Amino acid sequence: MTRIRHGLLPLLLAFVAGCGGAPWNDPYPAADARSNTLYSSFSERPKHLDPVQSYAENEYAFIANIYQPPLQYHYLKRPYQLIPFGAEEVPKPVYLDAAGKPLPDSAPAERVAYSEYVIRIRQGVLYQPHPAFAKDDAGKPRYHALTAADLRGIDTLADFSHSGTRELEAADYVHQLKRLAHPRLHSPILQLMGGYVVGLKDLADRLAKDAAALPEGAVIDLEPYEMSGVRIIDRHTYALRVRGKYPQFAYWLAMPFFAPVPPEADRFYGQPGMAQKNITLDWYPVGTGPYMLTVNNPNRQMVLERNPNYRGEVYPGEGEPGDAERGLLKDAGKPLPFIDRVVFSLEKEQIPYWNKFLQGYYDASGIGSDTFDQAVQFSGQGDVTLTEDMERRGIRLQTSLATTVFYLGFNMLDPVVGEAAGERARKLRLAVSIAVDQEELISIFRNGRGLPSHGPIPPGIFGYREPDATGINPYVYDWRDGAPQRKGIEQAKRLLAEAGYPNGRDAKTGQPLLLHLDTTSSGPDSKARLDWYTRQFAKLGIQLVIRATDFNRLQDKLRRGTAQLYFLGWNADYPDPENFLFLLHGAQSRAKTQGENASNYRNAEYDRLFDRMKHMANGPERQAIIDRMVELLRHDAPWVWSFFPKDYTLHHGWVHNRKPNQIANNSLKYQRLDPALRAELRREWNPPVVWPLALIAAVLVLTVLPAVTAFRRRERRTATGGA
């Protein structure tokens, strides 16, 4: 029995160690248990990390924390307010007439030929350590003339043994502006900005022509090219000229499209053999922001680490009312960022993510439909509160209305639902708008997390009207008993009959009305929602045909104007009504100009008002124009006005300074952790479950013991017989 006891000793020691050390189910290295690391996730591989190409929310989660545009949004203040980031101050435009002479600030838009922004950038800002800046002993770039032999053994950026840095200059911002025109980068804002930034379109044409004459794969050097609307005044100052009076341009200066990219980065990454190894700016960004990307493995993990050269920014000292009481000003004046490292792990499914969040291995989480009842509950007054289990764990809930609109769009070029069918199609669109019950959709599929929309402008954006007696959409709702009430299905059926489709059949041919919905939705949840939409149309006798497709195919149909109905949503690029109203501007037709007006809606009065409204400052006159524009949209119904989503997020008690910001994407630098508390609670919430191992050990002992006993008896008998 002595040998059996000795064999069990390591197992017993493991039990003891497991009870006192790190949790056995910890997915991270034990050495990181108390590190100043934030743990998050991503579910979809980012396509672009080059700021000239990136235009997706999942990509901005990374690059907005790496790059430093001239401006950013105040983290705490609402309404959203622009503040300096790379620039010393928020630039004020100087208005010029056609001859280039200054005009007063009060000059009407029709007199303003140009707006010029003089941008002074902060001095002493340094780039992250990077091989592109490495110098040899003679002071020359170490890695700008690499040969195939030099690249042997180089597979990632980390394989370069030397790195360097340099100070940020105005020329770096100008270089990025030129990159918008690069014919091989295909910037998604080239067409839009080409209409505003003076000289950008001309530069794009010149570069395209010159690129066509170059051998395939040859590098296009942007340094010799000039852009007429941009000039460098001195090392830390540049001027940017925009056509007309366009107040919203300042918001674009807070987007990564206008962040600095050093020419050294293009020279470094443009060398032969680099792209084949996936060593590109699209894979390894080069920035001056608070973080730098050190691991890019989109099949497993992406890691941001503190930029050791970042300094000079502190936590804000003021916010909106209530922020101090919520503890959001305790760190005022302290240097940013607080967190050293952010680990994003690939999580494609919600349930595994949720379980790891409850175990403490993710620091924050959204709330899926499957876990909604486990996380929150509604009080008798309709208020949203955390469940007792969440409260007991110290988890905190934050809710906010997203600056986002979701909608079901009609293609106005379609012969059945579009503009050519005139009043008949308009009444058909209104009938569908009434029949599709958004309140029911929000209740069933979003657990109440949303507001039915009465127009395209979401709450929090100037121009939004509360859905009161004067703010509702009167074509879809009535005001009854102090609240908006959706019109009855009988009203929708009357409109459908007036459109020539009584009971969902063509009055002339007797044929059933079929409408086609193109969608990229897939999976069990999507099937339930699409079945629900089919039933909504069936209430009118309309047969809805679902045409499942992939994203690229849908985009192709929208570009060609061949989709009949489609789903889309829009997140605000900047907090201005123009960023939503332009989605229905005739000049932005997707089929005709490749703009963002996917419905190809056109209304001459709306377009005239849009061109006037977009140049105006917020005020009563602008509000009156917006009200008229929204009225036209409600009357014409190019969209089924769906909903504005409510965001519910949870975070653990060891995470501080979290405040929802629907516009800014660079909030990581403001958050602070208590790693010691996290480590303690992880141990508490994840005690090792040892009884299965103990049971296995006991079974093993009971199984082996008789055999050992019999063996020893046989040995003794053999020994006795031999004696």
Side-chain angles (χ1 to χ4, degrees):
M1 292 297 293
T2 303
R3 280 176 293 181
I4 295 175
R5 290 193 191 101
H6 288 172
L8 288 177
L9 183 60
L11 185 62
L12 294 173
L13 291 175
F15 289 167
V16 174
C19 294
W24 289 5
N25 63 346
D26 193 334
Y28 310 118
D32 292 345
R34 292 178 177 267
S35 68
N36 187 20
T37 301
L38 180 76
Y39 294 98
S40 187
S41 76
F42 64 102
S43 60
E44 183 181 359
R45 172 180 180 163
K47 291 184 175 70
H48 296 293
L49 297 177
D50 184 336
V52 85
Q53 295 176 285
S54 176
Y55 205 10
E57 189 174 0
N58 68 316
E59 297 163 0
Y60 276 22
F62 300 101
I63 68 171
N65 295 288
I66 295 170
Y67 287 102
Q68 194 170 12
L71 305 179
Q72 63 180 333
Y73 291 94
H74 196 287
Y75 181 55
L76 301 176
K77 288 185 178 180
R78 306 291 183 274
Y80 297 104
Q81 177 182 322
L82 286 171
I83 60 173
F85 193 15
E88 288 185 347
E89 59 188 4
V90 177
K92 182 180 178 182
V94 175
Y95 300 126
L96 307 171
D97 64 16
K101 295 181 180 179
L103 294 170
D105 293 345
S106 58
E110 56 269 19
R111 287 193 60 200
V112 177
Y114 306 105
S115 302
E116 185 163 270
Y117 294 81
V118 175
I119 301 169
R120 297 177 179 84
I121 65 170
R122 290 169 46 209
Q123 299 186 28
V125 175
L126 298 177
Y127 279 97
Q128 67 182 66
H130 194 277
F133 304 116
K135 300 287 184 68
D136 60 19
D137 294 338
K140 295 181 179 180
R142 185 180 290 271
Y143 299 123
H144 285 194
L146 297 173
T147 65
D150 294 329
L151 288 176
R152 291 195 189 103
I154 300 292
D155 296 305
T156 70
L157 197 68
D159 292 330
F160 290 95
S161 55
H162 296 274
S163 66
T165 187
R166 72 161 171 82
E167 186 179 3
L168 173 66
E169 299 179 355
D172 301 329
Y173 286 94
V174 173
H175 182 73
Q176 169 70 349
L177 286 168
K178 294 179 185 179
R179 296 179 81 247
L180 292 174
H182 199 297
R184 296 175 188 162
L185 295 178
H186 307 291
S187 177
I189 68 164
L190 173 59
Q191 182 179 1
L192 176 63
M193 284 296 110
Y196 285 113
V197 178
V198 175
L200 181 59
K201 188 176 184 304
D202 292 338
L203 176 60
D205 292 340
R206 273 185 287 139
L207 286 171
K209 180 180 177 181
D210 293 352
L214 292 174
E216 185 177 353
V219 175
I220 302 173
D221 184 6
L222 296 176
E223 288 294 290
Y225 289 87
E226 300 291 335
M227 195 159 70
S228 58
V230 181
R231 58 193 173 92
I232 298 174
I233 298 174
D234 59 41
R235 189 183 178 196
H236 295 98
T237 312
Y238 68 105
L240 178 59
R241 187 169 288 192
V242 176
R243 289 186 181 88
K245 195 174 188 179
Y246 183 42
Q248 293 80 19
F249 186 74
Y251 295 125
W252 286 95
L253 294 177
M255 297 180 70
F257 293 114
F258 291 85
V261 169
E264 293 96 324
D266 279 343
R267 287 195 286 270
F268 174 78
Y269 287 124
Q271 297 177 91
M274 295 289 248
Q276 288 78 1
K277 293 175 176 286
N278 221 13
I279 302 177
T280 66
L281 188 67
D282 217 18
W283 196 263
Y284 294 110
V286 184
T288 59
Y291 291 98
M292 55 186 188
L293 187 70
T294 56
V295 176
N296 186 350
N297 180 359
N299 296 317
R300 180 178 174 269
Q301 193 176 82
M302 300 181 73
V303 178
L304 294 176
E305 294 190 35
R306 178 196 293 267
N307 174 5
N309 296 332
Y310 189 77
R311 59 182 67 87
E313 188 179 16
V314 298
Y315 190 87
E318 55 183 350
E320 63 179 338
D323 282 349
E325 291 75 9
R326 289 188 287 268
L328 289 170
L329 297 180
K330 288 183 178 179
D331 291 318
K334 294 180 181 177
L336 299 176
F338 294 118
I339 295 170
D340 294 333
R341 189 165 167 262
V342 186
V343 174
F344 297 85
S345 300
L346 179 64
E347 290 283 0
K348 293 186 176 182
E349 302 296 334
Q350 172 63 27
I351 296 302
Y353 182 95
W354 174 253
N355 290 333
K356 291 175 186 177
F357 169 72
L358 293 182
Q359 292 166 338
Y361 297 128
Y362 286 124
D363 296 310
S365 174
I367 307 176
S369 298
D370 294 337
T371 57
F372 187 83
D373 292 337
Q374 187 179 352
V376 300
Q377 59 191 359
F378 291 95
S379 67
Q381 293 73 36
D383 296 327
V384 180
T385 60
L386 287 167
T387 60
E388 290 184 6
D389 182 53
M390 299 294 110
E391 292 274 10
R392 193 163 46 245
R393 290 172 177 266
I395 292 172
R396 298 167 186 172
L397 169 68
Q398 291 183 321
T399 64
S400 61
L401 272 167
T403 51
T404 302
V405 61
F406 288 108
Y407 59 91
L408 173 62
F410 297 100
N411 178 14
M412 300 298 282
L413 299 179
D414 183 81
V416 176
V417 302
E419 181 182 3
E423 186 67 6
R424 181 182 185 185
R426 187 184 77 86
K427 290 185 176 181
L428 167 59
R429 296 193 299 270
L430 284 175
V432 171
S433 299
I434 294 170
V436 180
D437 190 337
Q438 303 300 329
E439 289 78 8
E440 184 176 288
L441 180 146
I442 293 168
S443 174
I444 294 175
F445 297 103
R446 295 191 58 83
N447 305 99
R449 290 173 290 175
L451 290 180
S453 60
H454 293 251
I457 304 174
I461 302 295
F462 181 84
Y464 170 77
R465 290 288 193 184
E466 292 289 340
D468 55 21
T470 60
I472 62 169
N473 179 357
Y475 299 94
V476 178
Y477 290 86
D478 294 318
W479 185 259
R480 296 197 304 268
D481 301 325
Q485 303 290 333
R486 183 172 291 272
K487 292 180 184 291
I489 194 65
E490 293 305 318
Q491 172 65 14
K493 289 180 177 180
R494 281 195 296 272
L495 284 167
L496 192 63
E498 293 172 11
Y501 301 102
N503 299 315
R505 289 183 175 271
D506 191 309
K508 295 180 180 178
T509 66
Q511 294 297 313
L513 175 60
L514 274 68
L515 297 181
H516 298 84
L517 172 64
D518 287 285
T519 176
T520 59
S521 300
S522 61
D525 291 344
S526 296
K527 183 181 184 305
R529 184 177 298 205
L530 292 173
D531 288 344
W532 179 87
Y533 270 101
T534 302
R535 293 194 298 273
Q536 301 300 298
F537 280 74
K539 291 187 296 189
L540 297 172
I542 299 174
Q543 297 181 29
L544 183 65
V545 179
I546 306 295
R547 297 194 293 204
T549 185
D550 60 30
F551 179 80
N552 291 332
R553 177 64 176 157
L554 176 60
Q555 292 302 312
D556 182 61
K557 285 188 173 184
L558 294 176
R559 279 193 295 269
R560 292 186 290 113
T562 58
Q564 190 174 47
L565 284 83
Y566 64 92
F567 290 123
L568 275 185
W570 184 260
N571 296 317
D573 288 320
Y574 46 86
D576 190 89
E578 183 240 9
N579 194 230
F580 291 91
L581 296 173
F582 92 114
L583 297 172
L584 291 156
H585 183 215
Q588 298 284 335
S589 168
R590 179 72 60 87
K592 296 178 180 178
T593 68
Q594 300 305 302
E596 294 295 343
N597 179 0
S599 283
N600 304 297
Y601 172 71
R602 183 183 61 184
N603 180 300
E605 182 184 358
Y606 180 91
D607 291 345
R608 285 195 303 272
L609 291 172
F610 178 86
D611 290 337
R612 184 180 169 195
M613 176 278 306
K614 69 178 183 178
H615 299 300
M616 300 176 69
N618 291 342
E621 185 180 0
R622 195 183 198 209
Q623 181 69 64
I625 292 175
I626 291 171
D627 289 343
R628 175 57 185 164
M629 295 173 69
V630 172
E631 163 60 23
L632 291 170
L633 296 177
R634 290 169 173 172
H635 174 272
D636 293 347
W639 293 353
V640 174
W641 311 104
S642 296
F643 64 92
F644 306 122
K646 285 183 179 177
D647 289 342
Y648 286 29
T649 59
L650 303 172
H651 64 271
H652 287 290
W654 57 72
V655 185
H656 303 280
N657 298 338
R658 278 182 65 94
K659 181 176 181 178
N661 191 313
Q662 298 292 341
I663 300 295
N665 296 283
N666 62 342
S667 61
L668 288 176
K669 61 186 177 183
Y670 301 104
Q671 297 178 48
R672 180 171 54 80
L673 296 172
D674 184 343
L677 176 61
R678 179 173 60 190
E680 178 183 336
L681 290 176
R682 280 179 178 175
R683 284 197 304 271
E684 179 182 327
W685 295 342
N686 300 278
V689 182
V690 299
W691 66 264
L693 295 177
L695 180 61
I696 292 171
V699 171
L700 183 64
V701 169
L702 293 175
T703 302
V704 173
L705 184 59
V708 172
T709 303
F711 175 76
R712 297 192 64 167
R713 286 174 180 169
R714 189 164 57 251
E715 280 187 325
R716 283 197 296 270
R717 284 199 301 270
T718 301
T720 304

